[in-house]
Amino acid sequence: MATPEEKYELITRRLQEVLGGDSIKKILAEEERQLKCYWGTAPTGRPHIGYFVPLTKIADFLRAGVKVTVLLADIHAFLDNMKAPLDLVKYRTKYYEYLIKTTLTSLGIPITHLRFVEGSSYQLTPEYSMDNYRLCATVTEHDAKKAGAEVVKQVDSALLSGLLYPGLQALDEQYLDVDFQFGGVDQRKIFTFAELYLPKLGYAKRAHLMNAMVPGLAGGKMSASDPNSKIDFLDAPEVIRKKLKSAFCEEGNVEGNGVLAFLEAVLIPISQLRLERDAGKTVLEVGLGDQRPFISDNAPPGTIFSVERDEKFGGSTHYSSYEEIKADFEAKKLHPKDLKTSVADGIVRLLEPIQAAFKENEEWQKIAALAYPDPNAKPEKKKKKEKVYHPPPPGKGKNAKVPAAATTEDAAAAASDAKAHSEQEGAKQESTQETTTSS
Ligand SMILES: N[C@@H](Cc1ccc(O)cc1)C(=O)O
């Protein structure tokens, strides 16, 4: 059995930041009860392989005996500028659930030890709603805006829903009954917001654990708008290899190198989890699969990553730490092409069991099609809009040829009709302008 110190080390290793670590240490030391945490994800776009980072951390938590809840934050996905429209959100939630469960299983992490909760299952209760209103009467607009700045999509005419988002995330800590919340360091402002405001409602302040963000393959942030910078869980092997080929990875340059960053953040930790399992160093019996995807069969013990290379190019190199790989790359002993090939191989092998599960699961495939309808699919043909003809103003169009209006009253009526019409048009134009600038 691991000591409280060992458990704390396992829980916090490889994280970028920990807030409130002492409260975690205290619970571990007292050993009166199990630690409880949650990780939330809003089912918006299709998840990319950066998700391996939180998922491998979840493995650490479970191994340290922490009770883990995964929150599928469906209402948040809608609140964030309707990234998931209401008619799609239930499918996306299901898609995320399939994907997360399959990925964890493929890593050998038993999902029986995890609790999955959908946000809407408790966020619509009277108690939660009332707490939301209490929070709204406590939080300033300024603080709500600031808290969401790195998570909620920032637009010109910001919607009220985006201001509610951080408050609801804070309340989730109370309603999911946890000791700490885990998330990317992009959640930091929401986390500190929760630390400030939960006590004002009479609830406990929670600890917060944050992992670093994985940069995209193009260097910089993994961007949703640049499909080449990130790899989808269901990308075919040839697509993965192509994306890696075009990744930014300059010989000898370890700065802004998305390939090295991915290796460090994902492949190495997964390899390490497997090695630890093999060495019997687990608290919880994590039954990782038997394959060792990034290590050659003939590699010496202790190898964490193999770069396979033809004998004529110097043969394979077997590394026992990320630092060695980085040093070799910097010293130009490891060529970008070899690094890219071995990382691509690693990703392909990592995704193999997940893609196989998708191919076997018709229900999941149906959900995927409903959750992410093809944006290029031709919309059903719309009926032609009937044209509405308005009478031209007096003196214009064919009226011009008609001599003076029969009566002055007629003329006045026609004139005021025309005015009303042109005012309406003006108003319409203004409102379209408004929607274009805000979107
Ligand atoms: N804010 C998280 C999602 C989330 C939503 C609600 C929570 O309680 C926790 C996390 C994200 O950016 O994906």
Side-chain angles (χ1 to χ4, degrees), residues 38-44 51 71-77 80 83 96 119 122-123 128 150-152 165-166 168-173 176 181-184 186-187 190-191:
Y38 91 98
W39 169 69
T41 177
T44 53
Y51 267 67
L71 171 68
L72 297 160
D74 49 356
I75 292 187
H76 280 86
D80 185 358
K83 276 187 189 160
Y96 269 59
Y122 63 89
Q123 289 163 347
Y128 191 95
E150 277 178 51
V151 170
V152 178
Y165 187 115
L168 267 68
Q169 185 162 342
L171 285 181
D172 289 340
E173 299 182 343
L176 292 171
Q181 184 180 171
F182 163 61
D186 58 338
Q187 309 292 312
I190 296 183
F191 288 174

Side-chain angles (χ1 to χ4, degrees), residues 342-403:
S342 55
V343 169
D345 285 346
I347 297 174
V348 168
R349 275 181 253 166
L350 190 61
L351 296 180
E352 232 163 52
I354 300 163
Q355 301 189 350
F358 180 75
K359 279 197 193 108
E360 273 167 27
N361 188 336
E362 262 177 45
E363 197 52 39
W364 185 5
Q365 292 166 27
K366 273 191 212 148
I367 291 288
L370 290 168
Y372 302 102
D374 180 0
N376 299 320
K378 285 208 179 110
E380 273 178 48
K381 266 204 174 156
K382 270 197 195 152
K383 263 206 217 150
K384 253 197 171 171
K385 226 178 152 189
E386 257 178 53
K387 271 195 177 161
V388 184
Y389 294 97
H390 296 281
K396 290 261 165 66
K398 62 180 198 274
N399 283 356
K401 292 193 190 101
V402 186

